[in-house]
């Protein structure tokens, strides 16, 4: 591979670094929109109409819990959120260590499609568990968490 050609890990690292730099602006935009427009107060239409949860239900609450370092609560609301945060952190830390050591320490996490498959499995299991509890036992797990 030539030196000009970048690997997928390099592209992901640059993207992750840009997200890190954009985080303060995203946070300020969220705070402004949340306080002034109240569009984030809306609920899930699928849940409103059917009583069952969609594959995305709990994601916003999970991010909020994660930002408040409530890791278990974040996992219970929506497991892909803390999983993705952990993968992101390890990827960024390991590649930063590798780059700072000028590739003498080869600890950078390598790209593997299995990371995405794991998110998909977590997402499907999340919906199955929450909706099965509602359907078979009439227990709303989301209400128990919050």
């Amino acid at each position: 591979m030539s030196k000009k050609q970048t690997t997928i890990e390099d592209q992901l690292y640059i993207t992750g670094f840009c997200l890190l730099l954009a985080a303060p602006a995203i946070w300020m935009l969220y705070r402004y929109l949340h306080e002034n427009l109240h569009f984030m107060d809306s609920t899930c239409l699928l849940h409103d109409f059917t009583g069952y949860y969609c594959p995305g239900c709990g994601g916003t609450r999970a991010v909020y819990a994660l930002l408040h370092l409530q890791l278990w609560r974040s996992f219970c609301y929506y497991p892909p959120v803390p999983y993705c945060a952990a993968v992101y952190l390890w990827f960024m830390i390991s590649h930063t260590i590798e780059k700072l050591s000028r590739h003498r320490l080869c600890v950078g996490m390598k790209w593997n499609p299995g990371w995405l498959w794991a998110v998909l499995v977590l997402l499907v299991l999340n919906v199955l568990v929450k909706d099965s509890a509602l359907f078979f036992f009439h227990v709303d797990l989301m209400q128990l968490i919050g």
Side-chain angles (χ1 to χ4, degrees):
M1 178 170 68
S2 70
K3 292 206 179 236
K4 290 184 179 183
Q5 195 175 25
T6 59
T7 64
I8 192 165
E9 285 88 6
D10 291 334
Q11 293 170 357
L12 289 171
Y13 183 76
I14 291 167
T15 302
F17 200 74
C18 290
L19 285 174
L20 186 64
L21 293 176
I26 293 169
W27 178 254
M28 288 188 301
L29 181 65
Y30 163 77
R31 297 296 297 174
Y32 172 78
L33 292 175
H34 184 67
E35 290 172 3
N36 294 317
L37 299 180
H38 302 287
F39 81 96
M40 299 292 271
D41 296 334
S42 63
T43 59
C44 175
L45 293 177
L46 180 72
H47 183 68
D48 288 346
F49 288 124
T50 66
Y52 294 104
Y53 292 105
C54 76
C57 279
T60 305
R61 287 176 276 190
V63 170
Y64 183 83
L66 185 67
L67 291 174
H68 288 85
L69 301 177
Q70 299 170 339
L71 301 178
W72 179 247
R73 179 173 275 186
S74 177
F75 180 81
C76 290
Y77 278 135
Y78 196 70
V81 167
Y83 169 80
C84 288
V87 169
Y88 169 80
L89 283 174
W90 174 245
F91 182 87
M92 294 303 291
I93 290 169
S94 68
H95 278 273
T96 300
I97 291 169
E98 189 170 310
K99 288 181 186 314
L100 289 176
S101 72
R102 295 189 176 119
H103 301 285
R104 287 188 295 261
L105 294 173
C106 294
V107 295
M109 184 175 145
K110 301 300 179 209
W111 165 252
N112 183 345
W115 300 109
L116 294 178
W117 284 107
V119 171
L120 182 62
V121 168
L122 282 173
L123 193 141
V124 169
L125 287 174
N126 178 53
V127 172
L128 286 176
V129 167
K130 289 177 184 168
D131 287 341
S132 294
L134 270 173
F135 184 78
F136 294 113
F137 305 108
H138 306 289
V139 174
D140 190 349
L141 296 176
M142 294 291 272
Q143 296 301 321
L144 294 176
I145 298 167

